[in-house]
Amino acid sequence: MDSTVLKKIISRKSTRNATTDLDRMGQAARSASRVMALADSSAKNQALTCIAAEIDAHRAEIIAANRIDMDAGEAKGLDSALLDRLLLTQARVDAMIEGLQQVAALPDPVGEVSELKYRPSGIQLGRMRVPLGVVGIIYESRPNVTVDAASLCLKSGNAAILRGGSEALNSNSAIAACIRRGLAAAGLPETAVQVIETANRAAVGALLTMDKYVDVLVPRGGRGLIERVSREARMPVIKHLDGICHVYIDDKADLEKAHQIALNAKTHRYGVCNAMETLLVAEGVAKDVLPRLAEDYRTAGVELRGCARTRVIIPGSLAATEQDWHTEYLAPVLSIRIVADMDAAMDHIASYSSGHTEAIVTEDYSRARRFLAAVDSSSVMVNASTRFADGFEYGLGAEIGISTDKIHARGPVGLEGLTSQKWVVFGDGQIRE
Amino acid sequence: MDSTVLKKIISRKSTRNATTDLDRMGQAARSASRVMALADSSAKNQALTCIAAEIDAHRAEIIAANRIDMDAGEAKGLDSALLDRLLLTQARVDAMIEGLQQVAALPDPVGEVSELKYRPSGIQLGRMRVPLGVVGIIYESRPNVTVDAASLCLKSGNAAILRGGSEALNSNSAIAACIRRGLAAAGLPETAVQVIETANRAAVGALLTMDKYVDVLVPRGGRGLIERVSREARMPVIKHLDGICHVYIDDKADLEKAHQIALNAKTHRYGVCNAMETLLVAEGVAKDVLPRLAEDYRTAGVELRGCARTRVIIPGSLAATEQDWHTEYLAPVLSIRIVADMDAAMDHIASYSSGHTEAIVTEDYSRARRFLAAVDSSSVMVNASTRFADGFEYGLGAEIGISTDKIHARGPVGLEGLTSQKWVVFGDGQIRE
């Protein structure tokens, strides 16, 4: 038998095994989800507190498991950024515990009934917030996502199936054991949070087809992962693609605010999705704002790539190409374009934005109003840094991701994004005439 | 060249042509959507009124075009139910006009800002309701859907691409011409509502891949259409699969209310998704309610299919098979099952329901509360007929469909379901520290 045939057979077999295992997990998740949907807030909060206590009590084991992953990662030659994301330190374990306590302190969204009113037929109609059911989450190297994702799903009354990166397998297994013990201690089903503890890559493919058991999928990771999930998933997906965020400095801007916002939006942190990637400047103020900004960007080590007119004002800046306007740098690089006015800025945004976050800096009332209404992104800001587009800054307490989709949840997705609203009807025997 | 090869070439060519045409329509829709998103309520309402006037003025042409479709349908041997759905009468044209006026009278959801509040950072944060962008709607024979769908998309500030059934092509073209003239008369882009006016079946496949231009797809029609759209669409789908609705008569029910509700939920109309398909009865009251119900169902001409115990109480009823519990009859047929108690009823519902609408009849406070919380369907009712699960009865004014999905819109989808909420931030120069 030649090796290609053998590989095919093994691959088919491992796909079949992965499917069987996952099918069992899916069934368990579905039945746990019915218990979780009815669990009261105190049971869910107790589980979160118990999980925190378990992680605290077993931190040595978690860090030892992480050491195995780190050693394997170093041996495999993973790059330093990836290794840094993979690493668990005492401080990072503390942050996980703190995160659990924060989620426990959040109000429980489940069961909230809103807009309750009588209809002419005599029925009383309202909308009740309920869990989605089973949430699948596929993520990459950071093991702390295991705790974050589990805690948000648990608090919102969902069951979760989590699939972390294969390079974090030992870390995630150690954390999963703490989660199971914490759930059991609070009298909730251990299968309410299940971690796929196999390096078998077929598991992801199998998970994407399990629309029978999984109500929604949340991919968290690089573009490759997100695109694969969008293409293959048979269930709805809450996804976050790119963050190509823009700041537009209007010719009616307060130039000091403009300077601070443009600087903060780029340099506060580079590797984050809500960082500005393209600065648009009205031609009327370009000469006033760009030289000082360029100086501060250079001091911060930001590489500047400008349109032809920008390069006249900022000598030594590189030429921005068409590709630059489409790029999420996630790095100390900024593209700059001088535009005629707000309409030209909005046209640029409509063409190149990923729909994440855009800001205008202006003191003009009517322009601010129009920009807010017309720009079609998940967050639209006036006179504030794009860096505010974040679950914590928005008061959601925590976020499972930032959605650049328009359906269901948009922007930072917290507990509410993991729920839906069903209609409830209270009657006294009403029938349709 | 043999005919298979020829067919392939023609098919490839017609797919390419369909794609080119649709691509042009998609671009036009995308650019019209930017205008529609900013159109004020009065312009949108004027367009609705102008479309109504155009339909009124051209009713002879519409009915003549429909006559051509009807003749072709009769010649093709379409069944009478399909022909009835296809038929436009003066009364049905009146209903279209009335529908347009009703949508014009609804409040405009676009631009509503809710939950506006200050955050500790000093930014003021809220959520603004905004159109989805471009809505694609694929539907079957009823030409009045062209007007319904267009009016809801228009009022919610979206652009729409509509694809009706090929058997209604002439009717839809005549209606589309009225819509275009109405939009133009109100100063709105004619391309805000585009009807795909070709019988080329490749158009549907091409539309499903146009995620670049179409933000959400709403299929309305039979199971085959819905399943194809769910499988192939690259964009999010708001879909309605089956309506396998249950009524559970509890042993603490008011038996007179139970009788009226169970009768109404089945016999008020048969071919509708919110009709009851399975009746569940607590064993404690089965002997009290079933004989009288059976008599009234038989008078109404409803065929009864029961579990073994039901058949003892209702002699002459047929045996319900496993398949019956899974079936949306849309016909004067009812399956009946006697269950031990509410938990058994909820287990049956969890196994067989399509997640559309379920009702309990009970006077027991705690059971009512638990049923409402635990049953995972888009509408859950106490002491009311499932027939109330409807956009008009719920006060949405009109509905584009009834969603059995859990994501985004659930149950009857009106104007709000065609919008999303983006975050808006008002600042005074705030930056992240």
Side-chain angles (χ1 to χ4, degrees):
Chain A
M1 203 181 284
D2 80 26
S3 76
T4 322
V5 174
L6 193 65
K7 263 190 203 157
K8 262 193 194 158
I9 290 176
I10 292 174
S11 146
R12 242 185 260 144
K13 200 172 161 223
S14 73
T15 303
R16 199 160 53 230
N17 287 349
T19 306
T20 315
D21 291 351
L22 271 181
D23 212 67
R24 215 171 31 236
M25 288 177 87
Q27 286 176 37
R30 173 62 68 211
S31 91
S33 76
R34 287 182 66 194
V35 179
M36 292 305 293
L38 295 179
D40 59 26
S41 304
S42 66
K44 293 187 286 188
N45 291 341
Q46 201 197 329
L48 291 165
T49 314
C50 291
I51 294 169
E54 289 289 334
I55 289 176
D56 197 21
H58 295 84
R59 55 168 73 221
E61 282 161 58
I62 293 170
I63 287 175
N66 183 250
R67 191 66 253 160
I68 299 172
D69 288 334
M70 289 293 293
D71 289 346
E74 279 159 16
K76 255 170 70 183
L78 297 186
D79 72 39
S80 61
L82 222 124
L83 285 171
D84 178 60
R85 288 203 290 275
L86 181 55
L87 180 67
L88 286 180
T89 59
Q90 292 288 353
R92 286 185 181 178
V93 174
D94 288 342
M96 282 188 204
I97 293 171
E98 204 189 319
L100 284 158
Q101 284 153 349
Q102 280 171 359
V103 173
L106 291 175
D108 186 341
V110 175
E112 183 190 72
V113 175
S114 56
E115 301 166 58
L116 195 64
K117 61 190 168 227
Y118 283 97
R119 297 289 311 148
S121 59
I123 62 169
Q124 197 181 10
L125 172 75
R127 305 178 84 166
M128 184 188 281
R129 197 164 283 287
V130 290
L132 290 173
V134 178
V135 180
I137 303 180
I138 303 178
Y139 51 102
E140 290 176 341
S141 52
R142 286 180 213 268
N144 61 310
V145 174
T146 307
V147 172
D148 289 356
S151 64
L152 289 170
C153 289
L154 197 166
K155 180 78 183 223
S156 54
N158 292 290
I161 298 179
L162 311 179
R163 161 70 182 193
S166 54
E167 63 286 355
L169 206 58
N170 293 289
S171 315
N172 287 337
S173 290
I175 294 168
C178 295
I179 295 174
R180 276 196 299 273
R181 286 190 299 263
L183 283 163
L188 292 175
E190 290 186 23
T191 48
V193 179
Q194 298 176 90
V195 175
I196 301 178
E197 295 176 51
T198 160
N200 185 345
R201 291 197 173 273
V204 171
L207 185 59
L208 297 180
T209 63
M210 282 176 42
D211 51 336
K212 196 171 156 193
Y213 299 122
V214 179
D215 293 294
V216 61
L217 240 156
V218 184
R220 287 184 57 165
R223 200 180 175 99
L225 171 69
I226 312 276
E227 287 184 341
R228 180 183 173 194
V229 169
S230 308
R231 206 170 48 238
E232 292 181 24
R234 294 217 194 126
M235 62 289 281
V237 173
I238 297 177
K239 70 172 182 289
H240 164 203
L241 216 44
D242 290 343
I244 305 179
C245 303
H246 297 77
V247 172
Y248 164 62
I249 301 179
D250 188 47
D251 53 359
K252 297 274 184 70
D254 172 324
L255 297 188
E256 183 53 31
K257 290 178 190 168
H259 183 83
Q260 296 303 333
I261 289 169
L263 203 60
N264 185 260
K266 184 70 230 178
T267 66
H268 183 254
R269 268 182 77 185
Y270 296 111
V272 289
C273 60
N274 57 14
M276 165 179 67
E277 304 293 15
T278 300
L279 174 65
L280 302 169
V281 185
E283 57 187 11
V285 292
K287 278 192 193 124
D288 303 314
V289 290
L290 283 179
R292 187 178 150 213
L293 265 176
E295 212 180 295
D296 286 359
Y297 282 135
R298 288 215 168 118
T299 305
V302 176
E303 178 186 313
L304 301 180
R305 303 184 188 175
C307 66
R309 295 165 72 191
T310 299
R311 297 182 71 203
V312 173
I313 300 176
I314 310 179
S317 56
L318 302 173
T321 63
E322 176 67 17
Q323 187 51 42
D324 278 298
W325 313 126
H326 284 290
T327 301
E328 183 186 26
Y329 301 116
L330 294 172
V333 179
L334 175 70
S335 54
I336 304 176
R337 185 174 203 170
I338 295 176
V339 292
D341 53 20
M342 185 176 80
D343 281 310
M346 295 198 302
D347 283 342
H348 179 100
I349 289 168
S351 300
Y352 299 105
S353 166
S354 62
H356 190 298
T357 299
E358 330 297 337
I360 184 174
V361 189
T362 191
E363 295 299 314
D364 186 284
Y365 166 84
S366 296
R367 288 190 197 165
R369 248 183 122 226
R370 200 150 67 84
F371 190 88
L372 280 172
V375 172
D376 191 21
S377 295
S378 73
S379 289
V380 187
M381 305 183 168
V382 179
N383 294 345
S385 168
T386 55
R387 287 284 291 126
F388 284 107
D390 165 304
F392 288 94
E393 291 295 332
Y394 282 4
L396 306 182
E399 66 184 28
I400 196 102
I402 296 187
S403 167
T404 51
D405 282 331
K406 294 189 189 179
I407 294 290
H408 191 65
R410 205 168 173 181
V413 180
L415 291 175
E416 197 183 290
L418 295 174
T419 64
S420 74
Q421 285 183 303
K422 71 183 180 192
W423 299 88
V424 289
V425 171
F426 301 87
D428 305 295
Q430 277 80 5
I431 58 172
R432 282 278 293 271
E433 301 300 340
Chain B
M1 202 180 287
D2 80 27
S3 77
T4 322
V5 174
L6 194 63
K7 265 190 200 156
K8 263 196 196 157
I9 289 175
I10 291 173
S11 147
R12 240 185 261 144
K13 197 172 164 221
S14 74
T15 304
R16 202 161 49 232
N17 286 348
T19 307
T20 315
D21 290 351
L22 271 180
D23 212 66
R24 212 171 32 235
M25 287 177 87
Q27 286 175 36
R30 174 61 69 211
S31 93
S33 76
R34 289 181 67 191
V35 179
M36 292 304 292
L38 296 179
D40 59 27
S41 303
S42 67
K44 293 188 287 189
N45 291 341
Q46 202 198 331
L48 291 165
T49 313
C50 290
I51 294 169
E54 288 290 334
I55 288 176
D56 197 23
H58 296 83
R59 54 169 72 222
E61 283 161 59
I62 294 170
I63 288 176
N66 183 250
R67 193 63 255 163
I68 299 171
D69 289 333
M70 288 295 291
D71 289 345
E74 280 158 16
K76 256 172 66 185
L78 296 186
D79 71 38
S80 62
L82 222 127
L83 285 172
D84 177 59
R85 288 204 291 276
L86 181 56
L87 179 67
L88 285 179
T89 60
Q90 292 288 353
R92 288 185 179 179
V93 173
D94 288 343
M96 283 187 203
I97 293 170
E98 205 187 319
L100 283 158
Q101 282 152 351
Q102 279 170 1
V103 173
L106 291 175
D108 186 340
V110 175
E112 184 190 71
V113 175
S114 55
E115 301 166 56
L116 195 64
K117 61 191 168 229
Y118 283 97
R119 297 289 309 148
S121 59
I123 62 169
Q124 197 181 10
L125 173 74
R127 304 177 83 165
M128 184 188 281
R129 197 164 282 288
V130 290
L132 290 173
V134 178
V135 180
I137 302 179
I138 303 179
Y139 51 102
E140 290 177 341
S141 51
R142 287 181 212 268
N144 60 310
V145 174
T146 308
V147 171
D148 288 356
S151 64
L152 288 169
C153 290
L154 195 166
K155 181 78 183 223
S156 53
N158 292 290
I161 297 179
L162 311 179
R163 162 70 183 192
S166 54
E167 64 284 357
L169 205 59
N170 293 289
S171 316
N172 288 336
S173 290
I175 295 168
C178 293
I179 295 174
R180 276 196 298 274
R181 286 190 298 264
L183 283 163
L188 292 175
E190 289 186 25
T191 48
V193 178
Q194 298 177 87
V195 176
I196 300 179
E197 294 176 52
T198 159
N200 185 346
R201 290 197 173 272
V204 171
L207 185 58
L208 296 179
T209 62
M210 281 177 43
D211 51 336
K212 196 171 156 193
Y213 299 122
V214 178
D215 293 294
V216 61
L217 239 155
V218 184
R220 287 185 59 165
R223 200 178 175 101
L225 172 69
I226 312 278
E227 286 184 341
R228 179 184 175 194
V229 169
S230 308
R231 208 170 45 239
E232 293 181 24
R234 295 217 192 126
M235 61 291 279
V237 173
I238 297 177
K239 69 171 180 293
H240 163 204
L241 215 43
D242 290 344
I244 304 178
C245 303
H246 297 76
V247 172
Y248 164 62
I249 300 179
D250 187 47
D251 52 359
K252 298 276 184 68
D254 172 324
L255 298 188
E256 183 53 32
K257 287 179 190 166
H259 182 84
Q260 296 304 333
I261 288 168
L263 203 61
N264 184 260
K266 183 71 233 178
T267 66
H268 184 255
R269 269 181 78 184
Y270 297 110
V272 289
C273 59
N274 57 14
M276 167 178 66
E277 305 294 16
T278 299
L279 174 65
L280 303 169
V281 185
E283 56 187 12
V285 293
K287 279 190 192 130
D288 304 315
V289 291
L290 283 179
R292 186 179 153 213
L293 263 176
E295 214 180 294
D296 286 359
Y297 283 136
R298 288 215 169 118
T299 307
V302 177
E303 178 187 312
L304 302 180
R305 302 183 188 176
C307 66
R309 297 165 73 190
T310 299
R311 296 183 70 204
V312 174
I313 300 177
I314 310 179
S317 56
L318 303 172
T321 63
E322 175 67 17
Q323 188 50 42
D324 278 300
W325 314 125
H326 285 290
T327 302
E328 182 184 27
Y329 301 117
L330 295 172
V333 179
L334 175 70
S335 54
I336 304 178
R337 185 174 205 172
I338 296 175
V339 292
D341 53 18
M342 185 177 80
D343 281 309
M346 294 198 303
D347 283 342
H348 179 100
I349 289 168
S351 299
Y352 299 105
S353 165
S354 63
H356 190 298
T357 298
E358 331 297 336
I360 185 174
V361 188
T362 192
E363 294 300 314
D364 186 284
Y365 166 84
S366 297
R367 289 189 197 164
R369 246 182 124 227
R370 200 150 65 84
F371 190 89
L372 280 172
V375 172
D376 191 23
S377 295
S378 73
S379 288
V380 188
M381 304 183 169
V382 179
N383 295 344
S385 169
T386 55
R387 287 281 292 123
F388 283 107
D390 166 303
F392 288 95
E393 291 295 333
Y394 282 3
L396 305 183
E399 65 185 29
I400 196 102
I402 296 187
S403 168
T404 52
D405 282 329
K406 294 189 188 178
I407 293 290
H408 191 66
R410 206 168 172 181
V413 181
L415 291 176
E416 197 182 290
L418 295 176
T419 63
S420 74
Q421 286 184 302
K422 69 183 180 190
W423 299 89
V424 289
V425 171
F426 301 87
D428 305 294
Q430 278 80 4
I431 58 172
R432 280 282 290 274
E433 302 298 342

